[in-house]
Amino acid sequence: MAATTDHPDAPAGRRPLHRAFVASLAGTSLEWYDFAIYSAASALVFGDLFFPSGDPLTGTLLAFSTYAVGYLARPLGGFVFGRLGDVIGRKRVLAATLLLIGVATLLIGLLPTYSTIGVAAPALLVLLRFAQGVGVGGEWGGAVLLSSEFADSRSRGLWASAAQVGPPLGNLMANGVLALLGAVLSEEQFLSWGWRVAFLLSAVLVIFGLWIRAELEETPVFKAMEAEDVRPERPIREVFATQRRALTAAILSRIAPDVLYAMFTVFVLTYATQELGMERGQALVAVLVGSSLQVFLIPLAGALSDRVNRRALYLGGAVCAGVWPFVFFPMIDGGGQLPLVLGVVVGLVIHSVMYGPQAAFVAEQFTPRLRYTGSSLAYTLAGVVGGALAPLLFTALLARFGGWYALAGYIAVTAVLTVTGLLVGRDAAHDEDALVVEDGARPDGTRTAP
C-alpha cells in the first residue's frame, strides 16, 4: 500500500508534526542566530577590526565581501547536503549542518583581529564564513521538509513556515544580544571584546538545538521512499534533467525576498548610521521591532496561503516589494527614528507576505524523491544572486551614485524577476497528487506504472 503524507487530526498523528515544527523552528533559529550575528557584525565592527582602512565605507565594503562569501558557499552545502538528504534521510543531515555552522561561529568568536595577526585574520575569517555558508546551504531544504512532510497538503503553508520563522527569530536574538552589549559596554569595550560574547554564545545554543533534533523521527515521506526503494541514486543529475522548470521558478521566486531582507535587516544599519548620522542603537531598534513582528507574521502568512491561492499571495507581496523602497527612502530622509522604525516594519511585513508561503511554494515545485536536493539548490543558488550580492551592490551603488534612487531601482528589478518566477512555477492549488512528473514518481514516494 502506498504511503501518504496526509495525517489525521488525531492527537497521535499531530504529536510528531508538532515535534517536527519545534525542531525545524529551533534549528533554523539557532543557525540563523549564528549567521545573523555575523551579518550585523559586518555592518558594525568587522570593517574596523579585520579590514582597517582610512575610508569607513571601504572598510564596510570589504566586510560585506566576507558576508557574501557565506552566500557563495551555500550552493556547495546545497549540493552536498541536499543530495545526502534525499539518499540517507532528513534527520541525520540536519544534525550535521547544525554542528558545522555552530563550530564555525564559535571559532569566529575566538579569532584574533588584524592588529594581532595581520592578514591572516581576514583570511581565517573568510574561511570560517565559508564554513557557515556551507552549513546554512544544507539546512533550509531539510528544515522545510522536516515539518512539511509531516503535514497534509491542506496545511502545508503553515507547517512549512517553521523554517521561515528561523531567520527573523535568529536575527532578533542576534541583534538583541548586540544591542544589549552595546548598551552596557563602552565603545572601546565593545570593539575590544564585547562583540565576541555574541559569537561564543553559539556553543550553548547549538547544544540545545542538537538535543531537540536528536528526539526526532524520520519524516513519513522519506520512510515511504525507503520502504519502496525509490530513493534517487543521482539526485543532482535528476533535478537538472527532469526538474528544470521547477528549479528555475523556485530560484527566481526567492530573489526579491532575499534582497529585501538584506536591505531591511543588514544594509539599513549602514545607511542609517553613515548616511543619516543616526546612532547604531537607533538603527538596531528598528530592525528589532520589525524582526519581532515577523516571528508572528510569517506563520500567519503561511497559514493564509493555505486558505487562499498561495501563488497569488506571494505575487502580491512581490509587487509591493518593488514599490515600497520608493516610499521608504524619502520617508526616512530627515533622519528621525520613528520614520525609520515604521519604514523597516512595513518592509519586513512585505517580506513576511512573501516569505511565509515561500517554503511550501518551493517544496511543491519538486517531486518528493528529489525535493531535498531541488529545494536546497533553489535556496542556495538564489542566495548567490540575491542575498550574497545585495549588501555589496547596495554599498557600491550608494558610493557610486550617492543617493537612494539606484538602491530602490535595484530592488524593483529583483521584484520583476520574482514575479516572473512565480508565473513560471506550478500552482499546486493544495493538490499534490497532481504533480506527477517525468520520472514517474508519485508525491508519496511511490512510482506510477510506465
Side-chain angles (χ1 to χ4, degrees):
M1 180 180 295
T4 178
T5 58
D6 289 354
H7 284 260
D9 291 334
R14 307 290 287 184
R15 191 175 300 112
L17 176 58
H18 294 156
R19 186 181 298 130
F21 183 90
V22 172
S24 179
L25 173 62
T28 53
S29 297
L30 297 177
E31 293 206 10
W32 272 93
Y33 168 86
D34 293 346
F35 212 69
I37 207 74
Y38 189 102
S39 302
S42 294
L44 299 174
V45 299
F46 280 175
D48 293 330
L49 297 179
F50 290 92
F51 305 95
S53 170
D55 179 13
L57 197 60
T58 300
T60 301
L61 185 61
L62 291 172
F64 278 150
S65 297
T66 64
Y67 172 88
V69 166
Y71 280 91
L72 295 173
R74 287 185 185 186
L76 178 60
F79 275 86
V80 173
F81 292 115
R83 176 188 178 279
L84 290 174
D86 282 327
V87 174
I88 68 173
R90 286 52 163 140
K91 176 182 174 178
R92 281 182 281 181
V93 169
L94 286 170
T97 59
L98 185 63
L99 186 61
L100 175 61
I101 194 170
V103 170
T105 306
L106 177 66
L107 292 177
I108 289 174
L110 300 173
L111 189 63
T113 62
Y114 184 92
S115 64
T116 304
I117 60 173
V119 295
L124 290 172
L125 184 65
V126 169
L127 179 62
L128 293 172
R129 176 62 170 174
F130 186 88
Q132 274 191 326
V134 171
V136 172
E139 163 70 19
W140 186 82
V144 168
L145 302 190
L146 192 64
S147 55
S148 67
E149 288 187 345
F150 278 99
D152 64 48
S153 59
R154 294 179 299 276
S155 60
R156 185 172 294 115
L158 169 62
W159 297 108
S161 70
Q164 305 299 83
V165 180
L169 189 56
N171 190 61
L172 183 65
M173 292 190 296
N175 283 288
V177 168
L178 286 173
L180 178 62
L181 291 171
V184 300
L185 300 177
S186 67
E187 187 77 14
E188 182 180 353
Q189 289 173 322
F190 184 82
L191 289 173
S192 175
W193 57 268
W195 63 272
R196 296 182 183 276
V197 175
F199 285 88
L200 297 178
L201 284 174
S202 174
V204 178
L205 299 176
V206 169
I207 291 172
F208 174 76
L210 289 172
W211 173 68
I212 290 289
R213 288 187 172 178
E215 302 296 316
L216 285 176
E217 301 175 12
E218 188 54 82
T219 73
V221 170
F222 187 78
K223 287 180 178 179
M225 289 164 55
E226 272 190 316
E228 298 293 332
D229 195 24
V230 294
R231 288 176 293 171
E233 294 182 1
R234 298 178 178 87
I236 296 174
R237 176 186 293 183
E238 287 192 54
V239 166
F240 283 106
T242 67
Q243 310 275 285
R244 288 188 294 270
R245 172 182 169 181
L247 187 60
T248 300
I251 289 173
L252 291 178
S253 71
R254 283 191 42 81
I255 292 176
D258 271 10
V259 171
L260 198 71
Y261 194 71
M263 166 55 72
F264 288 108
T265 62
V266 180
F267 186 76
V268 71
L269 300 175
T270 298
Y271 190 86
T273 55
Q274 295 187 11
E275 293 298 309
L276 303 181
M278 300 178 70
E279 297 293 328
R280 179 174 61 238
Q282 291 178 297
L284 283 171
V285 165
V287 175
L288 287 171
V289 172
S291 295
S292 63
L293 290 175
Q294 278 202 295
V295 172
F296 304 99
L297 291 173
I298 286 175
L300 181 63
L304 182 61
S305 77
D306 289 323
R307 298 180 178 275
V308 301
N309 184 275
R310 198 176 335 273
R311 183 167 63 171
L313 180 64
Y314 201 152
L315 190 65
V319 172
C320 292
V323 173
W324 179 243
F326 292 94
V327 179
F328 170 72
F329 286 108
M331 184 174 73
I332 66 171
D333 191 48
Q337 185 172 22
L338 184 58
L340 180 66
V341 171
L342 179 60
V344 169
V345 165
V346 173
L348 292 180
V349 167
I350 293 170
H351 178 264
S352 299
V353 172
M354 295 186 288
Y355 210 58
Q358 184 185 95
F361 178 83
V362 170
E364 288 169 344
Q365 301 305 303
F366 301 97
T367 181
R369 63 188 297 273
L370 299 171
R371 188 175 283 160
Y372 201 140
T373 301
S375 297
S376 296
L377 291 179
Y379 174 74
T380 56
L381 293 174
V384 172
V385 178
L389 297 179
L392 286 170
L393 285 178
F394 286 142
T395 306
L397 289 171
L398 183 61
R400 172 66 177 82
F401 296 101
W404 60 266
Y405 293 100
L407 308 179
Y410 168 46
I411 296 173
V413 169
T414 67
V416 171
L417 292 175
T418 287
V419 167
T420 302
L422 292 168
L423 295 177
V424 168
R426 293 184 177 96
D427 189 357
H430 312 303
D431 182 13
E432 195 175 63
D433 292 333
L435 296 183
V436 178
V437 296
E438 296 90 333
D439 66 356
R442 288 183 183 273
D444 61 13
T446 63
R447 301 181 70 83
T448 59

